[in-house]
Amino acid sequence: MTETLTHESSAFVNFRHFAFAERYAHAFRWLDVRRFRFSDPSAPDRDLLAGLVAHEQFRDDYAGGGVDPGGTRHGEYWLRLLTPEAYESIGRERAARLLATWAEQYGPLPGPLAEALRREAHDPLATADSVHHLNGLGEDEYYDWASVHGEFHELVLVDRAARRLTLLVAADD
């Protein structure tokens, strides 16, 4: 069963908007956040993930074109290959380490960027009942020009008390 999700809001944290852009001159780094509401707090995570994959907001190649209602790509992958089974359940601590390792790989973050990442990623992560990492696909499932991303990390956070699902995509291209 697929749970119907309602897109609530989005945020985009662009690393280049912060004072240390020269440190990242070789890559365009960003965090895309999309928040969704769901109605049934007892819906299994699998149904929530199916609702996410079916949602129009999920049809984004993250290569500059934005959401494409008729799109066939998501991130680095062909959309038709993405199913709830492509996500592995991981703990909040592992997800926080993944985000921190990606964000801080070139050195400490300036305060305003660290604050933006805390607000948009780490705060929702702290209240998530479950966390899923897109990890069930490999290069064989890449679409024709998927290698545009240097790194691509996708997390799905489920907060049952708030009836909110948050999609986090952290990437460099």
Side-chain angles (χ1 to χ4, degrees):
M1 179 100 179
T2 299
E3 177 71 13
T4 300
L5 303 179
T6 303
H7 181 247
E8 180 181 48
S9 63
S10 298
F12 189 76
V13 179
N14 183 342
F15 278 44
R16 289 188 183 234
H17 289 170
F18 297 90
F20 70 124
E22 66 280 354
R23 194 181 296 169
Y24 294 93
H26 66 284
F28 182 64
R29 298 166 55 76
W30 45 266
L31 173 74
D32 186 86
V33 181
R34 299 192 189 175
R35 296 173 202 88
F36 301 85
R37 288 276 182 204
F38 57 91
S39 59
D40 182 1
S42 66
D45 283 5
R46 186 186 189 297
D47 292 356
L48 295 172
L49 289 167
L52 175 65
V53 169
H55 201 282
E56 178 180 284
Q57 286 289 317
F58 196 74
R59 295 172 175 357
D60 192 333
D61 59 22
Y62 297 100
V67 173
D68 178 1
T72 59
R73 296 172 175 92
H74 172 79
E76 300 177 311
Y77 304 106
W78 292 111
L79 185 62
R80 63 180 158 62
L81 300 174
L82 287 165
T83 66
E85 289 73 32
Y87 291 85
E88 77 171 309
S89 180
I90 65 172
R92 289 189 301 241
E93 296 78 20
R94 182 172 162 203
R97 279 192 312 275
L98 184 146
L99 287 171
T101 300
W102 167 77
E104 299 169 7
Q105 65 185 302
Y106 300 110
L109 302 176
L113 177 55
E115 172 59 23
L117 292 176
R118 181 200 56 76
R119 180 182 65 249
E120 299 298 344
H122 293 284
D123 286 355
L125 182 57
T127 61
D129 296 296
S130 57
V131 180
H132 304 275
H133 178 232
L134 178 59
N135 198 30
L137 298 172
E139 289 184 18
D140 289 343
E141 287 82 10
Y142 280 178
Y143 60 79
D144 44 356
W145 43 273
S147 60
V148 68
H149 298 105
E151 286 193 45
F152 185 89
H153 304 286
E154 181 171 318
L155 297 170
V156 178
L157 318 177
V158 177
D159 183 336
R160 293 190 179 283
R163 296 182 183 187
R164 178 177 289 143
L165 181 144
T166 303
L167 171 64
L168 301 175
V169 174
D172 356 352
D173 48 32

